[in-house]
Amino acid sequence: MNLDPWSLLKASIEGDDSGTAILSIDRSSKKFEIILKNENFAFLEKEIDLKEFLSQKINNSDYTTELIYKTNGKILETSFGKFQFPEGLKNKEYTKFFIKDITTKQRQEEEIAWRLRFELGVASSIQILIQQHSIREGLPQALYQLLYFTEMDSVFFLKYELEGEKDKFQIWANERKTTKYPLIPKKCENENWYDLGLGRWFHKLKNGKTIYLTPNKALPREKWFLTETKAEILLLIPVLFENKFLGIMGFLKYKKNSPIQHENLLIYQTVSRWMGLFVQRDLDLTELNRYKSSLESLVLERTLALTKTKEELERAYKAKTEFLAHMSHELRTPLNSIIGFSKLIQLPETDETGKEYLNYIYTGGTRLLNMINEILNLMKIESGQIKIQITTFRPEDICRQTLELIQPQANAKKMEIRFRPPIESKPVTSDSGKILQILLNLLSNAIKYTNHPYIELDCEWIDGSLEISVRDFGPGISIDDQNRIFHTFTRLNDDGNIEGTGLGLTISQGLAIRLGGTLELQSQLGQGSVFKLKLPEIIK
């Protein structure tokens, strides 16, 4: 059966998902008429003043896509498309006109964009807190940064304090987007919440429950809080660490009829969890400083009282070592959580700024974790707890294994490592892992502190002892600096751009002594440096 062109055209636009119409436009007068439309178009054209809308677009020769936001919440997308109509008149031009209801799609895109902004705010806030020595110093700025990326208008943090048998709060942060609205009442900090009529909130929060209220849902004795803050939505989230109640993170929203979606509520609760990590970190550091100060006073007092006897010095040193090792372990738990959380945040490939912030968080946390691990290694060496695993192997094999591990660092500086194996190949009985650790430290330092095209690694047997030397051609080390180069946290020629903690050589020297050997330095200014690791053929 043959169909006429009009029937075929009508059938084709009926298959369109959007409302589609064919317009005929007079080239001279710019007047138009709809010569054909599908059912979707007939339904959607009632949503807008079609005649006025098309007249303006055609008169201005504006055929761009446009979004129309309706007061009932609908979002319509209008667009034009080319259309060839062989049967048309010469003084007419023909075009397709589309109307599409994109309300659901637009809402989904806005939700995704909001989540991305929120994640960026979280990353930026975490970066601020990581850079501060104390959470009290950086918290207001961090929470304001977070607030900027959210739908909320005000944010605050109340730190929980138990004074005797009284429950109290301290306002650590109280930020808002505009001074148009008041801060939370000061009496929330100084008075008992049961006396203020907020006992129900306190009880729920202390038991890990979230408070989400609007004025019409609040109890009569609670309404004063919403009245004084002028809030239309109140969100209070408990800040916990290992089920320990640390405080309250609160958000206020002043816009009516704008509820928080359940999915977004979960994100705010996630923020309260990382808040707990930082608050606990601050408490741990405060406690650490207090213990450290007390311990130093105690060591000094006992040392003077017992005429600085060797026994008391060793006892105090052991206590300090055990204390630092224990506290370093306690710090690693929240730090690992921060590093892990930074990896959970997913940003689009195009968000370079967000990725940069996440990288700051991850690299900063990793550096701090590496420092803690090095301190633990140093404490084990100094306390005699380092374990030695003795095996028999050829030293040139360990040298080659070290070169494979350090090669990426050398490649990054376009530096060559020239290795000379021993003329006489014979086995050594020692701890291969500890030797590898020492060589990695020495080679890493040589690469970092010199800009010469190459460094040298020599392995040889001299008078029955193994000598492995690392030579660089850098600036060299003065006599005065050579006397302190193996001290803890000592870094020379440090312009702030070289990574490290100043513990590598201290640890390496301690390992060398534990293996029955020595680590020696030979250097002159302007002529580079040579670090020599001397080890016995068989460890005793």
Side-chain angles (χ1 to χ4, degrees):
M1 180 176 68
N2 294 327
L3 297 176
D4 62 274
W6 280 103
S7 298
L8 291 173
L9 180 59
K10 185 174 182 181
S12 68
I13 66 173
E14 284 295 342
D16 290 350
D17 293 334
S18 58
T20 306
I22 307 298
L23 303 185
S24 168
I25 304 173
D26 188 280
R27 296 182 187 275
S28 57
S29 66
K30 298 292 185 178
K31 292 183 177 180
F32 70 92
E33 63 175 325
I34 300 174
I35 60 176
L36 198 62
K37 59 184 175 181
N38 62 11
E39 291 183 6
N40 287 337
F41 189 90
F43 175 76
L44 291 172
E45 68 176 323
K46 300 174 185 177
E47 298 286 344
I48 59 176
D49 186 348
L50 187 63
K51 183 176 180 181
E52 176 66 21
F53 179 80
L54 285 175
S55 295
Q56 289 186 4
K57 298 286 278 187
I58 293 171
N59 287 332
N60 295 327
S61 298
D62 178 11
Y63 297 104
T64 59
T65 299
E66 186 170 330
L67 296 182
I68 300 175
Y69 292 84
K70 302 288 293 177
T71 55
N72 60 6
K74 283 188 177 181
I75 305 174
L76 304 177
E77 181 184 73
T78 64
S79 59
F80 292 85
K82 293 183 178 180
F83 177 68
Q84 299 294 332
F85 186 41
E87 305 294 330
L89 302 175
K90 292 184 178 180
N91 65 329
K92 303 274 189 180
E93 60 178 311
Y94 300 87
T95 183
K96 278 187 177 182
F97 178 65
F98 306 96
I99 304 177
K100 192 171 184 177
D101 187 344
I102 62 168
T103 305
T104 302
K105 176 185 174 184
Q106 192 72 8
R107 292 284 182 262
Q108 291 174 344
E109 291 178 351
E110 290 174 355
E111 180 68 19
I112 292 173
W114 181 88
R115 288 177 183 273
L116 291 176
R117 289 197 304 271
F118 194 98
E119 290 176 354
L120 183 60
V122 170
S124 179
S125 302
I126 290 176
Q127 176 65 16
I128 292 172
L129 292 177
I130 286 177
Q131 293 175 342
Q132 298 294 333
H133 296 294
S134 170
I135 191 174
R136 292 292 297 272
E137 299 176 7
L139 188 59
Q141 181 186 356
L143 289 188
Y144 183 80
Q145 187 77 2
L146 175 67
L147 182 66
Y148 179 80
F149 289 94
T150 70
E151 60 189 322
M152 296 299 189
D153 299 304
S154 177
V155 62
F156 55 87
F157 175 71
L158 302 177
K159 175 65 178 64
Y160 173 66
E161 302 284 347
L162 181 60
E163 295 183 2
E165 296 182 356
K166 294 183 179 180
D167 299 299
K168 288 188 176 182
F169 291 98
Q170 286 187 3
I171 299 177
W172 277 18
N174 195 3
E175 300 298 323
R176 51 196 170 165
K177 286 182 178 177
T178 173
T179 56
K180 175 182 176 183
Y181 298 100
L183 297 169
I184 65 169
K186 190 69 175 177
K187 54 187 174 183
C188 291
E189 179 181 40
N190 299 322
E191 299 184 28
N192 187 293
W193 276 35
Y194 284 95
D195 297 337
L196 296 174
L198 306 180
R200 182 175 72 103
W201 295 1
F202 177 77
H203 178 75
K204 283 191 171 184
L205 289 163
K206 199 171 182 181
N207 285 279
K209 302 296 179 61
T210 296
I211 303 292
Y212 176 40
L213 277 179
T214 54
N216 61 331
K217 294 291 181 66
L219 298 178
R221 63 177 180 271
E222 301 165 347
K223 289 184 180 291
W224 70 267
F225 183 92
L226 298 169
T227 300
E228 290 192 19
T229 58
K230 299 182 181 181
E232 293 296 331
I233 290 178
L234 167 69
L235 178 61
L236 300 176
I237 307 173
V239 174
L240 307 171
F241 181 79
E242 295 181 351
N243 296 323
K244 178 184 176 183
F245 182 60
L246 300 177
I248 300 171
M249 195 168 187
F251 295 90
L252 300 177
K253 198 173 183 180
Y254 303 120
K255 185 178 179 182
K256 290 185 177 181
N257 302 321
S258 57
I260 304 173
Q261 300 298 323
H262 178 70
E263 295 79 5
N264 296 347
L265 186 62
L266 295 177
I267 296 179
Y268 286 109
Q269 290 171 336
T270 300
V271 171
S272 75
R273 284 194 286 272
W274 65 252
M275 187 69 176
L277 295 176
F278 278 104
V279 174
Q280 186 61 41
R281 183 198 70 170
D282 190 73
L283 296 175
D284 288 343
L285 290 175
T286 302
E287 191 72 6
L288 176 63
N289 290 332
R290 187 174 71 84
Y291 279 134
K292 182 180 179 182
S293 177
S294 299
L295 182 60
E296 290 174 349
S297 299
L298 180 61
V299 170
L300 179 59
E301 179 183 342
R302 288 184 177 180
T303 301
L304 293 175
L306 299 174
T307 66
K308 301 181 180 180
T309 63
K310 180 180 180 181
E311 181 181 355
E312 285 300 310
L313 285 173
E314 290 177 349
R315 184 183 305 168
Y317 182 77
K318 181 179 179 181
K320 182 178 180 180
T321 300
E322 291 175 351
F323 168 75
L324 289 176
H326 174 71
M327 293 312 296
S328 295
H329 279 296
E330 292 298 317
L331 286 174
R332 286 196 297 183
T333 299
L335 187 58
N336 277 318
S337 299
I338 293 170
I339 296 172
F341 185 80
S342 69
K343 280 297 184 180
L344 293 178
I345 299 176
Q346 300 295 324
L347 295 178
E349 293 296 327
T350 55
D351 192 352
E352 296 297 332
T353 302
K355 288 184 177 181
E356 183 179 1
Y357 287 156
L358 286 178
N359 187 54
Y360 287 158
I361 298 169
Y362 179 79
T363 54
T366 302
R367 288 176 186 174
L368 184 55
L369 187 60
N370 288 337
M371 178 185 290
I372 293 173
N373 289 333
E374 287 189 340
I375 291 174
L376 283 174
N377 287 333
L378 184 60
M379 293 302 102
K380 288 180 180 179
I381 293 172
E382 293 183 349
S383 62
Q385 297 178 5
I386 195 74
K387 294 182 179 179
I388 300 298
Q389 297 179 347
I390 299 177
T391 57
T392 300
F393 53 93
R394 296 189 181 278
E396 59 266 32
D397 294 337
I398 293 300
C399 291
R400 292 190 178 95
Q401 184 180 351
T402 307
L403 290 175
E404 291 179 3
L405 295 174
I406 203 69
Q407 196 61 50
Q409 184 179 344
N411 291 341
K413 290 192 68 172
K414 298 180 181 179
M415 186 177 295
E416 178 186 0
I417 304 177
R418 297 180 178 178
F419 172 53
R420 284 190 287 269
I423 298 175
E424 177 187 9
S425 178
K426 63 178 181 177
V428 61
T429 301
S430 188
D431 188 326
S432 60
K434 301 297 185 296
I435 296 175
L436 185 142
Q437 183 178 351
I438 295 171
L439 295 181
L440 281 176
N441 276 329
L442 298 180
L443 287 170
S444 178
N445 285 345
I447 293 171
K448 286 191 292 187
Y449 289 96
T450 185
N451 293 316
H452 197 268
Y454 64 88
I455 58 177
E456 295 178 349
L457 175 64
D458 292 341
C459 181
E460 57 185 339
W461 290 95
I462 299 179
D463 297 331
S465 297
L466 175 65
E467 288 190 12
I468 304 177
S469 62
V470 175
R471 178 189 297 272
D472 67 65
F473 301 89
I477 303 172
S478 67
I479 298 297
D480 290 338
D481 287 337
Q482 288 181 39
N483 294 328
R484 63 186 185 91
I485 189 67
F486 294 103
H487 293 176
T488 55
F489 300 104
T490 298
R491 303 182 67 196
L492 306 180
N493 304 323
D494 186 3
D495 59 1
N497 296 320
I498 299 177
E499 297 182 4
T501 60
L503 293 175
L505 286 178
T506 308
I507 293 173
S508 297
Q509 186 186 54
L511 291 175
I513 294 173
R514 184 67 180 83
L515 295 176
T518 59
L519 182 60
E520 301 174 357
L521 166 64
Q522 297 175 359
S523 181
Q524 291 185 13
L525 287 176
Q527 297 185 21
S529 306
V530 180
F531 285 87
K532 286 189 177 182
L533 173 63
K534 297 182 179 181
L535 296 171
E537 182 176 352
I538 300 176
I539 188 172
K540 298 179 181 179

